[in-house]
Amino acid sequence: MASKTPPPRGLANLERFDLLPALRDGVQVRYEGSIDKQGFNADWDWWLYREGREWVIFDVDGPGCIYNFVQHRYPESEEPTFRFYFDGEETPRFEIKPSEFGTKPPFVRPLADAYLGPEDNGRGPIRVVRSFVPMPYAKSCRITTDLRLKGPNKGDGGWGHVVCHSYADADGIETFTGREPYGRVLERWSRVGEDPKPAPAKPYEAAVLRGLTIAPGESVLALDERGAGCVAAILAEPEPESEPSAGGEGWLGQLWVRAAWDGHEKPDVECPAGVFFANELGYNPVGVLSHGRRADGSCYNYFPMPYWRGARIELINRGTEPVRFARWETRYSKADPDSPPYAEGQAGYFRSSAYYGPKATPGADSLIGRIEGRGHLVAGHVTAWARKPNVISCEGDVRVRIDGNATPQVESDGSESWVCYGWGFPTPPETNPSSAYDGLPDNPWSMVRLCGGDWYPFERELVFGIESGEYNNQYLRHSGVLFYYGVDGPGMVLTDELDVGNKASEGAHVYRTAGSRGYYTLESEYEDGTGRVLRDTGHETEGSSEFVVSVDPRNRGVRLRRRSDQATGRQRANVYVDGVRVKERSWYYADRNPYKRWLEDEFDIPAAYTAGKTDLAIRVEYVQEGETRAWNEFYYWVFSLV
């Protein structure tokens, strides 16, 4: 972007696909859903607490925006009413029933719909409702239902999740009303396969290869540009005889796309064409807004790919047979020196993680991708194979850990839930503008998810893993890749640590408390699926705690991370910096886990409270909420956003 105006939030964020490369400050991704607290596969209870006659399933404090809502339930079960409360309102601002998804504005197709799963040997059918309608809030949001969402049996059904962004401040936020102008997004989401970006001021230039044949081991240059610009689209039309056979053979599997921006020695993108076009298996043409394969076999990738000194794209045949294309086209624009579409340093390079080739990791998550630096994940592609056909192989949770946090920031209740189907992969192909899957009934399967609104920001690293089976109890081979926008170097640095319970550390940080309930030692696990047991001593207070920490004076905000005991939920505290209360939010975590009790949760302090300072006096003041009777703290990490 040419200006330093903060990227848009809410509906505007979803409208501007062209702004996807813009680096984002003060944004974190959050997930709340029906995860088995013991780490197995009983993912069917979805509730945080009961309040009056309503069951609360989502409860956050501070500015943010919901971008994805999913819930599945058997058609014969009683129908719940979902109620959305914003900014502390006592009456719901919006209500909707599962049967209304797809027809009740603004939850209309294709932004929201209902998917009816198959019979699947008597397990189904089940109705999955899903929404990608942005629902921003300036202060807080709470979602309730008049029924307790629980149970795996016919007549029950509680699975579901919410994916949202949490913002450090409320700048630019207008709380959801349901009357926002959704026409532009609805129109674009109705044209999957066409470029979702706004039309350019002048036509794109194009590098076109016609009648292209690439021999085994050969590489062909598809683009070699100098100067600043942006690749806007990569389009492929294979010759009819080159159409891939089922199972990823043919050009989808053997042709690789390699791209390097600005002369980088390490390629920014390097992956099979199948995942580049969202079709690794190739059984059926599927696609999302950003990339895919059309019914006629032609392929598209519309992610904007900016560069400032040059772009080089190669096509490499790593197979044993020639691959042939009637046409391969790379569309791009040259930047106007006086008004570049993306300012260097304010936008990330379009990149892929290293391709994770088909392999199994028995007893542990398959780590599809590990990304380092600063940026945001915008899409993921995962394929899986079991040892034999007709095996239910999609129960494994996706777990995404960000910036070294031991607690996953995103954890789905099954692979299929991550792509918002929520009922296995027995009837391919299925597709919507934000997610799709391909394959055979349950095995093999391949899924793709576009995070066009709910991208996953990271400041240091992002690790994307997936279980093999219900709790890593199956032998599965996974493959896949992650697409993201990023730059080298971290966006935050660790500038201090406080080990509560360690007298030397407490003394160095002038740690003191009021209303102490004493120290205690806990030995437990995190929810990361590793089974790692940690023993630590911490403190709890029904009053407050104070300490002094060091920060980088160049900071653009400070992030506090706390290790805590989540045996009880609804922990809340007000945070003060140098005697001034952070007004944007309280430090609040509504969920609980009495089995895997370790939690690492975070609190962002906007730069208005921290900029230019080298030390901060922090006071954490406990606020009683629900069943909690104290605030507990075992360890604090202090990160300066730089």
Side-chain angles (χ1 to χ4, degrees):
M1 296 192 310
S3 72
K4 293 185 179 181
T5 303
R9 296 169 171 179
L11 179 60
N13 173 45
L14 207 60
E15 288 179 332
R16 295 298 303 274
F17 195 85
D18 58 316
L19 295 185
L20 211 51
L23 296 174
R24 322 294 172 126
D25 291 337
V27 188
Q28 290 185 280
V29 66
R30 291 287 182 264
Y31 179 100
E32 182 63 67
S34 53
I35 302 298
D36 184 348
K37 301 300 185 182
Q38 297 188 64
F40 297 107
N41 197 44
D43 297 318
W44 44 74
D45 283 357
W46 189 18
W47 57 278
L48 299 171
Y49 58 90
R50 189 174 186 178
E51 191 164 80
R53 296 183 177 181
E54 296 180 71
W55 296 88
V56 179
I57 61 174
F58 178 79
D59 187 12
V60 295
D61 194 30
C65 182
I66 294 171
Y67 282 103
N68 181 221
F69 177 90
V70 172
Q71 205 268 321
H72 22 329
R73 199 161 181 81
Y74 289 98
E76 59 266 53
S77 63
E78 187 177 356
E79 189 173 37
T81 298
F82 299 109
R83 299 188 174 106
F84 294 79
Y85 297 80
F86 296 98
D87 298 346
E89 296 168 334
E90 294 185 359
T91 57
R93 183 174 293 204
F94 192 85
E95 297 184 1
I96 189 170
K97 295 178 180 291
S99 59
E100 297 175 314
F101 278 78
T103 58
K104 181 177 182 178
F107 292 80
V108 297
R109 297 180 181 89
L111 271 181
D113 65 2
Y115 163 72
L116 190 65
E119 284 287 351
D120 195 16
N121 299 316
R123 292 198 307 159
I126 197 167
R127 176 189 290 120
V128 183
V129 298
R130 55 194 174 199
S131 166
F132 301 94
V133 173
M135 305 179 76
Y137 41 90
K139 297 179 180 179
S140 63
C141 180
R142 189 162 51 97
I143 305 174
T144 71
T145 177
D146 56 346
L147 300 175
R148 180 179 172 184
L149 304 179
K150 65 178 183 67
N153 302 314
K154 287 296 187 73
D156 294 322
W159 307 268
H161 69 248
V162 175
V163 181
C164 68
H165 277 171
S166 172
Y167 302 124
D169 57 59
D171 291 352
I173 294 291
E174 294 185 9
T175 300
F176 175 82
T177 65
R179 299 183 297 276
E180 289 79 6
Y182 290 90
R184 187 182 304 175
V185 171
L186 289 171
E187 191 267 336
R188 286 184 179 156
W189 276 50
S190 298
R191 295 188 288 109
V192 172
E194 300 179 30
D195 195 337
K197 299 186 291 296
K202 59 180 181 179
Y204 293 123
E205 299 193 36
V208 181
L209 301 173
R210 294 183 173 86
L212 175 64
T213 298
I214 308 176
E218 183 184 6
S219 65
V220 171
L221 198 59
L223 182 70
D224 190 10
E225 272 293 304
R226 296 292 180 266
C230 181
V231 172
I234 297 178
L235 310 173
E237 298 178 15
E239 292 285 5
E241 64 270 18
S242 295
E243 270 295 288
S245 59
E249 299 174 0
W251 71 271
L252 289 176
Q254 66 186 51
L255 182 71
W256 282 55
V257 179
R258 176 191 290 165
W261 319 120
D262 292 348
H264 296 160
E265 290 186 11
K266 179 183 177 182
D268 293 275
V269 177
E270 189 168 23
C271 63
V275 293
F276 189 77
F277 294 123
N279 279 253
E280 181 164 28
L281 288 179
Y283 285 105
N284 302 277
V286 297
V288 293
L289 277 176
S290 51
H291 57 311
R293 187 159 63 103
R294 305 182 186 92
D296 64 2
S298 63
C299 298
Y300 60 92
N301 188 308
Y302 292 122
F303 280 115
M305 307 176 192
Y307 52 90
W308 291 271
R309 280 166 293 282
R312 182 181 175 89
I313 300 176
E314 297 174 86
L315 309 178
I316 305 164
N317 186 349
R318 296 188 177 179
T320 59
E321 299 292 333
V323 294
R324 296 180 174 86
F325 295 91
R327 181 183 179 92
W328 185 286
E329 179 178 354
T330 305
R331 295 178 183 172
Y332 64 99
S333 59
K334 295 184 177 180
D336 182 344
D338 298 322
S339 182
Y342 304 99
E344 188 172 6
Q346 295 183 33
Y349 293 106
F350 180 73
R351 289 174 166 169
S352 69
S353 62
Y355 175 66
Y356 186 88
K359 60 184 172 183
T361 54
D365 289 7
S366 296
L367 296 183
I368 301 300
R370 181 186 297 272
I371 302 167
E372 295 181 346
R374 176 188 175 213
H376 46 280
L377 174 76
V378 292
H381 193 120
V382 180
T383 302
W385 293 264
R387 278 182 166 142
K388 57 184 180 180
N390 303 314
V391 173
I392 298 173
S393 58
C394 61
E395 294 287 1
D397 296 355
V398 165
R399 284 192 275 247
V400 182
R401 293 183 291 110
I402 298 174
D403 295 335
N405 196 320
T407 298
Q409 278 68 61
V410 174
E411 183 175 6
S412 70
D413 61 295
S415 309
E416 78 281 20
S417 292
W418 185 67
V419 287
C420 305
Y421 287 94
W423 188 249
F425 296 138
T427 56
E430 293 288 346
T431 188
N432 67 63
S434 193
S435 58
Y437 74 87
D438 180 30
L440 298 179
D442 285 319
N443 172 43
W445 53 260
S446 186
M447 65 179 182
V448 60
R449 171 77 152 86
L450 165 66
C451 303
D454 56 338
W455 28 262
Y456 300 176
F458 56 93
E459 299 290 345
R460 301 175 71 184
E461 69 169 8
L462 181 147
V463 180
F464 185 109
I466 184 170
E467 286 182 306
S468 296
E470 296 94 334
Y471 45 94
N472 279 323
N473 60 336
Q474 284 184 292
Y475 180 92
L476 297 177
R477 290 183 300 125
H478 287 116
S479 65
V481 79
L482 309 176
F483 293 119
Y484 66 102
Y485 288 96
V487 293
D488 297 330
M492 72 179 189
V493 294
L494 179 66
T495 49
D496 212 342
E497 299 176 69
L498 167 59
D499 184 358
V500 179
N502 180 304
K503 296 306 178 185
S505 183
E506 288 185 358
H509 293 86
V510 200
Y511 177 80
R512 61 185 186 273
T513 68
S516 172
R517 289 171 59 103
Y519 290 81
Y520 70 101
T521 299
L522 173 64
E523 186 175 283
S524 190
E525 299 177 33
Y526 285 99
E527 297 171 335
D528 59 0
T530 64
R532 178 174 65 99
V533 175
L534 175 71
R535 180 183 175 88
D536 196 12
T537 297
H539 176 263
E540 59 180 356
T541 178
E542 56 187 7
S544 63
S545 61
E546 301 180 42
F547 46 93
V548 178
V549 297
S550 298
V551 297
D552 190 320
R554 301 167 299 167
N555 74 78
R556 51 186 173 89
V558 169
R559 179 169 299 167
L560 301 179
R561 179 181 298 165
R562 173 188 63 140
R563 177 189 294 147
S564 67
D565 177 3
Q566 58 172 332
T568 57
R570 306 184 72 184
Q571 292 189 56
R572 187 189 295 271
N574 293 325
V575 177
Y576 295 78
V577 178
D578 295 331
V580 179
R581 180 182 170 183
V582 178
K583 69 181 188 317
E584 283 79 5
R585 58 168 41 82
S586 62
W587 196 331
Y588 180 54
Y589 189 79
D591 209 346
R592 66 173 65 75
N593 191 333
Y595 308 103
K596 298 178 182 292
R597 290 168 57 176
W598 286 129
L599 167 74
E600 290 182 12
D601 60 331
E602 297 177 328
F603 184 86
D604 271 6
I605 304 174
Y609 303 87
T610 64
K613 298 179 180 181
T614 58
D615 299 283
L616 306 176
I618 304 293
R619 180 158 65 95
V620 181
E621 181 183 75
Y622 167 68
V623 177
Q624 195 277 324
E625 188 79 41
E627 73 274 28
T628 62
R629 293 294 178 266
W631 175 265
N632 72 77
E633 50 198 9
F634 287 74
Y635 206 101
Y636 285 101
W637 293 265
V638 182
F639 297 96
S640 296
L641 303 171
V642 294

